[in-house]
Every structure is written in C-alpha cells, then in structure tokens.
Amino acid sequence: KNEVEQSPQNLTAQEGEFITINCSYSVGISALHWLQQHPGGGIVSLFMLSSGKKKHGRLIATINIQEKHSSLHITASHPRDSAVYICAVRSVTGNQFYFGTGTSLTVIP
Amino acid sequence: GAGVSQSPRYKVAKRGQDVALRCDPISGHVSLFWYQQALGQGPEFLTYFQNEAQLDKSGLPSDRFFAERPEGSVSTLKIQRTQQEDSAVYLCASSLGAGVYSSSYNEQFFGPGTRLTVL
C-alpha cells in the first residue's frame, strides 16, 4: 500500500519549460514536505506545507487539503534543477513520515 | 558543524555482522528521524526521537534493528546480524522543534546518509 503517490515518475524537459510534479496522499496529515535529492544522495528540504501555497525563487508548492493533493511547480527550468523530487507527508500523530518514490527530473540545455 | 553529519559514509559488512551507524544532529535540535532508502526508492521511515525519548519505532523492519539517543543529541542505529536486504542508504534528519505543522522550527535537515552494503 502506497500512502503517497507521485507523478510522473520520470520527466524530461527543455531548459526554460514550466514543470509540474504532482503528489497525492491517502492518510491524514499534519504537514507535507517537498524534498530535492541530487545524485550522490544529499536531500534538501524545499518546502513544508500545512495549507495553501508557498513560493521560493522559481519554485512554487501548493496543497489542497480537501483533495489530498499537492503540486510542485518549477518556472523557467534550468539544468541545475535536474534531481529527484520527493513528496513526503507527516502523519497527524506527527511521529511518522510517508514518502513517495520520487520524480526524476532531467532538464536538457 | 553546521549541518547533520553521519558516520561512516560507507560501510561494507559481511552477512551476519553487527553494524552501528552514527548520526550527529544539528546542535539543539529536538527531533531526530532515521530513514532507510533502498536503491531507486524513496526513503522509508524507521524511527523518531524527541530528545532522548524514542516516540515511534514502528518503521523498524525487525527486532535486529535498534536505535538509541541516550543524551538527546547523538543517535546510533544498530543493526544486528545484518542480512543482504539491509543494504540501503540510512538517512538521519533533525529538526529544531517537536511540532508537527508547517513552521521553520519543524523543517527537517538531512544528513548525507550512510550507504550500507551487506555482502
């Protein structure tokens, strides 16, 4: 059973394109995280959302609690955005995290 | 240091050996999480500490896995009698706060991970 589903699994884009990665979840959550993982394994937290929308530079994250869905958008994509993007949700108890399998993004110059 | 550190970065063990993986969280961080990430998969939750208290260990895959954080700072994940299926990257993350909702206090900072290979 996958508590968190991401789509697409793989995504290739041309530099400059607008990118959307989707995340759906089936459990009650207290917060949703978007993480970025580069080759070699390092994980960086991009966003933590409990509601609404957040923006940081070219990255925008939205969440719809009623629909149990979140999206990560990248505007004006760049080759350095190439990475695996992972959606993770924190349970309502706050003690557990459930992760999606990630979306592998490749941005071609 | 400024970030979460883990040691060793790489560990090769023979099947049946015991291993100990160390996590040094950011100083003062209350919450500490351990995750297991198999090749090509997303991380999976193992266990959660709030200070020295292990509040959730439901993700530990078997009783061969044991984690501790005796003084509320450094944590050790121990795997006894390692099996090939234990091969994975073990990630540690910490956050300043112990809350659950979106806040800068609850943002997680990840260590670089320990890549465990069991032969």
Side-chain angles (χ1 to χ4, degrees), chain A residues 64-105:
Chain A
N64 185 317
I65 298 294
Q66 287 74 29
E67 295 185 3
K68 294 189 174 179
H69 181 269
S70 174
S71 293
L72 176 68
H73 305 286
I74 305 176
T75 62
S77 58
H78 191 275
R80 65 174 173 266
D81 297 327
S82 298
V84 175
Y85 292 84
I86 300 171
C87 173
V89 298
R90 188 166 189 173
S91 66
V92 289
T93 64
N95 292 341
Q96 296 186 10
F97 274 85
Y98 302 98
F99 291 80
T101 54
T103 295
S104 179
L105 171 65

Side-chain angles (χ1 to χ4, degrees), chain B residues 36-107:
Chain B
Q36 180 191 57
Q37 186 174 25
L39 188 64
Q41 302 295 316
E44 291 195 4
F45 168 83
L46 294 177
T47 187
Y48 165 62
F49 289 87
Q50 192 176 112
N51 296 307
E52 69 278 2
Q54 189 175 21
L55 297 189
D56 194 314
K57 55 182 181 179
S58 62
L60 296 177
S62 77
D63 59 7
R64 297 185 295 104
F65 286 70
F66 172 77
E68 60 182 5
R69 193 185 185 198
E71 297 179 358
S73 56
V74 171
S75 178
T76 304
L77 177 66
K78 297 179 180 178
I79 309 173
Q80 297 177 323
R81 305 181 303 280
T82 52
Q83 304 293 317
Q84 284 188 322
E85 62 263 27
D86 300 335
S87 296
V89 175
Y90 291 86
L91 296 162
C92 174
S94 70
S95 64
L96 178 62
V100 303
Y101 291 98
S102 175
S103 160
S104 59
Y105 290 100
N106 301 325
E107 179 184 358

